[in-house]
């Protein structure tokens, strides 16, 4: 979500009844999110606010300082949840920083994002404080069944980014999903959200349109049957609609992106100082 549309959209979402806001350092809109929360007049304690630490801020000191900077941008003295955004670089150093911030009360929950099931199990077992949330691409075509199984085993809450797969593979036009929706007078989007909720998965659907925000939150007045849940489970291809973090070429892409961003940030700082 761009800076220009972010503040307006967050205000719309809060108006529609949403109370969980998910942002990240890499989205470059924390200031706008903080401004919207302040303008909304809604008490801070009624809002669950999440941000994520970006790779270039990994390592203990960098991660700690970046979270404190995020808090300033978001105009808050605590964060409800902070995630490590990607599974690359000095993740353990960054995690130690989150553990300390958690114990200091500055962060109320800590977790990981885009860590595949093997890395999640590793992080659960080799840290002082285990992740409380694991955020991953989860939708009807990439259901993350094994990740869900192990998250449940270790009492880690699974949270779905892109719960619609951003429409890739025609999720909104899928005939199976639409037929189930027709039965309840619901859209395909509402069926997909309800399906994940009944699996015990937290969903964070993104929309810039107020009417869709209202639609997406209107999913608590119907319930899918076991047969319907099993039918939707059969749509799984166990394949990402975006990219694989286990693909070495993708890892190289992330490395280049981080270096480019560091270079751009240095250039911006030099311009300001000049």
């Amino acid at each position: 979500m761009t800076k220009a549309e972010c503040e307006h959209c967050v205000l719309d979402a809060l108006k529609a009844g949403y109370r969980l806001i998910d942002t990240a350092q890499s989205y470059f809109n924390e200031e706008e999110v903080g401004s919207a929360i302040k303008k909304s007049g809604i008490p801070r304690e009624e809002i669950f606010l999440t941000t994520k630490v970006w790779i270039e801020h990994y390592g203990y000191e960098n991660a700690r300082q970046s979270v404190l900077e995020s808090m300033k941008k978001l105009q808050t003295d605590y964060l409800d949840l902070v995630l490590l955004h990607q599974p690359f670089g000095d993740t353990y150093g960054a995690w130690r920083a989150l553990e300390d911030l958690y114990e200091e009360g500055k962060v109320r929950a800590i977790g990981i994002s885009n860590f595949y099931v093997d890395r999640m199990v590793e992080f659960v077992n080799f840290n002082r404080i285990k992740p409380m949330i694991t955020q991953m691409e989860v939708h009807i075509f990439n259901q993350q069944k094994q990740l869900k199984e192990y998250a449940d085993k270790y009492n880690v809450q699974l949270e779905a980014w892109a719960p619609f797969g951003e429409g890739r593979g025609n999720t909104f036009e899928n005939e199976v999903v639409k037929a189930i929706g027709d039965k309840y007078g619901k859209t395909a989007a509402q069926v997909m959200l309800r399906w994940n909720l009944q699996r015990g998965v937290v969903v964070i659907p993104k929309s810039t349109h107020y009417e869709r925000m209202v639609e997406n939150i209107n999913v608590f007045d119907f319930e899918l049957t076991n047969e319907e849940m099993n039918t939707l489970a059969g749509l799984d291809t166990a394949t990402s609609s975006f990219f694989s973090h286990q693909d070495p070429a993708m890892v190289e892409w992330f490395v280049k992106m981080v270096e480019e961003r560091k270079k751009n940030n240095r250039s911006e700082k030099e311009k300001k100082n000049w």
Side-chain angles (χ1 to χ4, degrees), residues 22-256:
D22 180 277
T23 186
Q25 294 170 356
S26 69
Y27 299 166
F28 299 111
N29 60 19
E30 288 174 316
E31 294 98 331
E32 288 73 24
V33 170
S35 178
I37 290 172
K38 190 169 185 178
K39 287 181 179 179
S40 74
I42 295 170
R44 171 67 183 88
E45 60 271 17
E46 292 183 16
I47 295 171
F48 190 96
L49 184 56
T50 301
T51 196
K52 312 179 196 75
V53 180
W54 187 241
I55 314 168
E56 65 189 86
H57 300 145
Y58 281 8
Y60 183 89
E61 288 298 335
N62 283 342
R64 182 182 178 85
Q65 286 306 123
S66 77
V67 173
L68 296 177
E69 181 63 26
S70 288
M71 288 167 58
K72 288 180 184 177
K73 292 177 179 178
L74 289 160
Q75 302 183 52
T76 183
D77 57 3
Y78 73 93
L79 289 163
D80 297 282
L81 173 64
V82 177
L83 306 173
L84 297 186
H85 204 157
Q86 302 291 348
F88 308 126
D90 186 5
T91 54
Y92 276 95
W95 189 255
R96 299 287 178 264
L98 297 192
E99 288 176 325
D100 286 353
L101 288 165
Y102 171 76
E103 291 182 332
E104 293 165 18
K106 292 182 174 66
V107 175
R108 297 189 172 180
I110 55 179
I112 51 181
S113 179
N114 296 307
F115 283 58
Y116 283 35
V117 61
D118 55 334
R119 292 298 312 279
M120 186 202 74
V121 172
E122 172 198 334
F123 246 61
V124 164
N125 286 286
F126 286 94
N127 282 301
R128 186 170 83 250
I129 300 173
K130 72 178 183 181
M132 298 154 193
I133 299 280
T134 182
Q135 188 184 96
M136 183 63 78
E137 173 198 346
V138 186
H139 49 80
I140 57 170
F141 295 149
N142 191 21
Q143 300 183 12
Q144 302 288 357
K145 291 174 182 175
Q146 187 182 48
L147 178 61
K148 178 69 166 60
E149 175 188 346
Y150 277 90
D152 289 348
K153 176 180 179 179
Y154 289 106
N155 196 30
V156 178
Q157 176 63 53
L158 180 57
E159 184 175 53
W161 65 259
F164 305 134
E166 294 187 0
R168 299 186 184 192
N170 292 319
T171 53
F172 295 113
E173 303 302 322
N174 184 274
E175 292 301 326
V176 173
V177 179
K178 287 173 67 177
I180 293 173
D182 289 343
K183 173 184 170 183
Y184 297 101
K186 294 293 183 179
T187 65
Q190 289 170 317
V191 170
M192 288 187 279
L193 293 175
R194 184 69 205 179
W195 166 77
N196 250 331
L197 290 170
Q198 285 186 216
R199 296 175 70 213
V201 178
V202 173
V203 288
I204 45 173
K206 173 198 165 188
S207 180
T208 58
H209 302 283
Y210 181 75
E211 62 276 11
R212 288 183 191 153
M213 295 179 193
V214 173
E215 176 186 306
N216 289 341
I217 207 171
N218 186 23
V219 293
F220 299 100
D221 58 351
F222 75 109
E223 185 172 343
L224 301 174
T225 65
N226 288 336
E227 182 181 359
E228 289 162 345
M229 291 292 291
N230 290 333
T231 297
L232 292 170
L235 299 177
D236 190 21
T237 66
T239 304
S240 172
S241 296
F242 303 91
F243 49 78
S244 170
H245 288 74
Q246 294 171 321
D247 177 357
M250 183 52 60
V251 179
E252 289 180 335
W253 179 84
F254 268 100
V255 172
K256 290 177 183 176

